[in-house]
Amino acid sequence: MKLGVSLGYWGLGVTPADQLELARTAEQLGYDSVWTAEAYGSDAATVLAWLAAGTSRIKLGAGILQIPARSAAMTAMTAATLDNLSGGRFLLGLGTSGPQVSEGFHGVRFGKQLQRTRDYVAVVRLALAHQKVEFHGETLDLPLPDGPGKALKLTIRPVQQPIPIYLAAMGPKNVALAAEIADGWLPVFFSPEHTAEVRAPLLEGAQRAGRSLEDFRICPTVNVLISDDLESARHAMRPALGLYVGGMGSKEQNFYNRLVASYGFEREAELVQELYLAGRKSEALMALPDELIDAVSIAGPRSRAKEKIRAFRDAGVDTLIVAPMALETPERKEQLRLVAELAHE
C-alpha cells in the first residue's frame, strides 16, 4: 500500500510555503503522491503547478477538479499542461461536486450525473490521446451542430500515455461507474469495515467494462491524528466530519450524510444534520459518535493507528491519502512521519 498526502484547500490558514514544505517532507519520506482540492475558493490546478516547481519525484494529484467548473476540453488542456510541467507526474481526479456548488456557483444543472460523468471522461480521454475532439453523446455534443465549430485536437501531448483518471464517487451507481470507466476511485470517509458494501458495485462496473479490479486503484483520503490522548485525537476529527455530515449540502441532498447512514448510523447522522443546519454546530460536532469517528479516521495512540493502517491495506486500498489534522506545519510533518513509520512496520 502506497501513501499519499492531502493538502486540502489552500488559503484556510495554510500558506503556499506551508504546502510546499509538507509536499517536500512527504517526498523525502517516500510518499507516492500529494493531492490538492477545490470547492469555491482556491483551485486545485494552480496549486499543483506551484508544487510541481518545488518537487522532483512525488506524483501530483488533483483531488479533485470539478466537472461543472470546466469544459472537458479545458480539463484535458490543464491535465496535459500539468503533466508536462511536472515531467509526467500528474494524476487527474474528477468529481461532480454537489448541487449547491454546481448550480449556485458554476451555473451548471446537476441532473444526469452518471451520463454527464461518462461523456465528460470520454471527451477528456479523447483529447489527451491527441485525437480530434469529435463526440456526440447525451450531455456533450462536439463540435456543436449547425455552427462554425471545428473538431480540434490538443496542440501539446501529455508526457504520460495515458494520464491516470480517478473518480470521486459516492453511492453504488457512481462507484460502479468509477470501476467501469476510470483507473481509480477516490472515496471519502471510507470505512475498511464496510468494504463488502462497495465490493459489489465495483465488481459490477468492472464486469461492464470487461476488466478485473487487479489494476483498479482505491485511494481514500483519511483524516489522521496519532496521539496518546485518544479523546483529543477524536475531537480533532469532529470539525471536518461534522461539516460534511451536517452541513455539506441541503437536508434533502447531502451525500456524505447518506454515506455514514449506510454504515449503520442513520439516527446519529440525522441528529448531526438537524443540529448543524439549525446553527448549533458545537452540539452537532459532539453528537458524532466515537464509533463513527473510529470507522472513518485514524485517531489515537500508535497501536490503534497501526491496526487501522493494516485494516486499510487489507481492505484493498492501493494508496492511503493522509490528511493530517494537526494545526501547525511542524506537527503536520510529524504526523506524516509517524504514518510512514507505522506503515513500514
Side-chain angles (χ1 to χ4, degrees):
M1 183 175 70
K2 297 186 287 291
L3 295 176
V5 56
S6 171
L7 301 182
Y9 309 114
W10 176 83
L12 298 178
V14 181
T15 69
D18 288 333
Q19 288 203 327
L20 183 56
E21 189 174 351
L22 286 170
R24 285 173 169 168
T25 297
E27 186 171 67
Q28 291 164 6
L29 290 169
Y31 278 61
D32 181 70
S33 53
V34 56
W35 299 76
T36 61
E38 63 183 26
Y40 42 93
S42 60
D43 75 284
T46 306
V47 178
L48 288 177
W50 158 254
L51 298 177
T55 59
S56 59
R57 299 184 308 276
I58 197 166
K59 295 173 186 172
L60 302 157
I64 45 96
L65 297 186
Q66 298 173 95
I67 286 175
R70 302 170 182 82
S71 71
M74 183 69 237
T75 290
M77 291 166 61
T78 301
T81 304
L82 283 169
D83 202 48
N84 275 279
L85 288 175
S86 65
R89 292 185 282 146
F90 181 62
L91 306 173
L92 175 56
L94 295 171
T96 59
S97 189
Q100 291 183 325
V101 174
S102 181
E103 298 196 8
F105 198 62
H106 298 303
V108 176
R109 292 295 181 194
F110 197 69
K112 299 183 178 179
Q113 287 307 297
L114 287 169
Q115 189 60 45
R116 185 182 302 277
T117 301
R118 183 185 296 278
D119 291 350
Y120 194 96
V121 170
V123 171
V124 170
R125 287 199 188 279
L126 191 66
L128 289 175
H130 209 248
Q131 298 180 29
K132 286 187 176 181
V133 178
E134 183 170 358
F135 182 86
H136 305 289
E138 185 178 337
T139 67
L140 285 175
D141 199 8
L142 298 168
L144 289 173
D146 304 320
K150 180 181 179 181
L152 301 171
K153 63 181 178 180
L154 282 176
T155 60
I156 61 173
R157 297 175 185 264
V159 176
Q160 298 177 89
Q161 293 292 343
I163 291 176
I165 295 179
Y166 300 75
L167 287 185
M170 300 175 70
K173 292 182 179 179
N174 289 286
V175 171
L177 182 66
E180 180 186 353
I181 69 172
D183 301 294
W185 174 37
L186 298 172
V188 65
F189 302 133
F190 180 86
S191 170
E193 293 78 14
H194 294 84
T195 306
E197 288 95 316
V198 298
R199 190 71 182 172
L202 286 173
L203 286 170
E204 176 191 335
Q207 288 169 359
R208 283 204 301 257
R211 64 187 290 191
S212 75
L213 291 173
E214 289 298 317
D215 59 348
F216 183 77
R217 305 177 186 105
I218 300 175
C219 309
T221 297
V222 182
N223 295 337
V224 174
L225 188 65
I226 300 170
S227 167
D228 290 335
D229 189 337
L230 175 58
E231 184 177 4
S232 293
R234 283 173 172 160
H235 285 336
M237 305 298 146
R238 293 184 186 276
L241 184 57
L243 168 63
Y244 280 83
V245 174
M248 194 64 75
S250 65
K251 184 172 179 58
E252 294 75 25
Q253 282 189 303
N254 183 322
F255 307 120
Y256 309 96
N257 190 283
R258 292 180 197 170
L259 175 66
V260 301
S262 74
Y263 291 161
F265 298 98
E266 297 93 340
R267 287 191 297 176
E268 294 88 344
E270 183 179 359
L271 175 60
V272 170
Q273 186 181 60
E274 179 183 319
L275 291 169
Y276 205 98
L277 294 180
R280 298 158 63 183
K281 294 182 180 179
S282 296
E283 293 177 64
L285 301 189
M286 295 311 298
L288 292 164
D290 290 344
E291 294 81 6
L292 172 58
I293 294 171
D294 292 344
V296 300
S297 312
I298 298 175
R302 289 174 59 100
S303 58
R304 289 175 61 92
K306 186 175 179 179
E307 288 303 313
K308 193 69 177 183
I309 292 170
R310 182 181 289 115
F312 279 106
R313 182 202 64 188
D314 293 346
V317 167
D318 176 83
T319 303
L320 184 70
I321 303 174
V322 175
M325 289 292 103
L327 295 177
E328 302 296 332
T329 297
E331 287 74 23
R332 289 174 178 163
K333 291 167 61 177
E334 176 64 9
Q335 289 296 312
L336 295 183
R337 187 193 67 78
L338 287 169
V339 171
E341 185 178 290
L342 293 176
H344 179 72
E345 290 178 8

